[in-house]
Amino acid sequence: MSAQPSGLSFNEALGKAHQMESELAQEDEYRLFMAQGEFLGKAIPVCINKTGNFAEKFTVVVSLEASGAVSQLWHQPENAFVACFANEMKRQFSYIGDKAPFFTAIEYSTNN
């Protein structure tokens, strides 16, 4: 799922996420960090159980509506675990940004 109906490529969406995240006030950045951390703690075990594997490095970018719901998403790489994680993000992740659409990304790597 490298691009969605908006016509943005994965890299364009990721660039928007980096820009919007960098413009957040410190308290909003903290709220986003906490929302992402809470989501990671729930979604990773679910997807390991569903797929029987784990991706050591992946990125999921989402566009969020004014309500905080995910409206579009992009992910890399293409594999069962990352597809599951992206699906869980579509279903369960929520964050209300200071503008809509608000782009954000979860970039995960075990090499950090």
Side-chain angles (χ1 to χ4, degrees):
M1 190 177 303
S2 52
Q4 288 293 307
S6 68
L8 292 176
S9 70
F10 171 84
N11 288 330
E12 290 167 332
L14 183 59
K16 281 184 164 277
H18 287 165
Q19 178 186 355
M20 291 183 141
E21 290 170 352
S22 73
E23 294 170 352
L24 288 173
Q26 187 174 7
E27 60 273 5
D28 293 329
E29 185 178 12
Y30 177 76
R31 280 189 320 105
L32 176 61
F33 176 78
M34 295 304 291
Q36 289 178 338
E38 182 179 330
F39 174 75
L40 279 162
K42 293 176 185 175
I44 287 177
V46 166
C47 291
I48 289 172
N49 287 335
K50 283 184 179 179
T51 66
N53 63 43
F54 177 68
E56 293 183 359
K57 183 176 181 179
F58 62 90
T59 301
V60 177
V61 182
V62 293
S63 170
L64 301 164
E65 300 171 352
S67 67
V70 174
S71 60
Q72 298 177 321
L73 61 89
W74 301 258
H75 68 268
Q76 288 187 355
E78 293 287 336
N79 65 46
F81 177 85
V82 179
C84 174
F85 187 89
N87 185 53
E88 289 298 311
M89 199 157 184
K90 173 83 173 154
R91 289 184 338 100
Q92 296 185 36
F93 185 76
S94 180
Y95 173 80
I96 297 175
D98 58 352
K99 57 182 99 172
F102 181 81
F103 286 75
T104 188
I106 291 182
E107 299 175 85
Y108 183 87
S109 175
T110 58
N111 296 330
N112 289 349

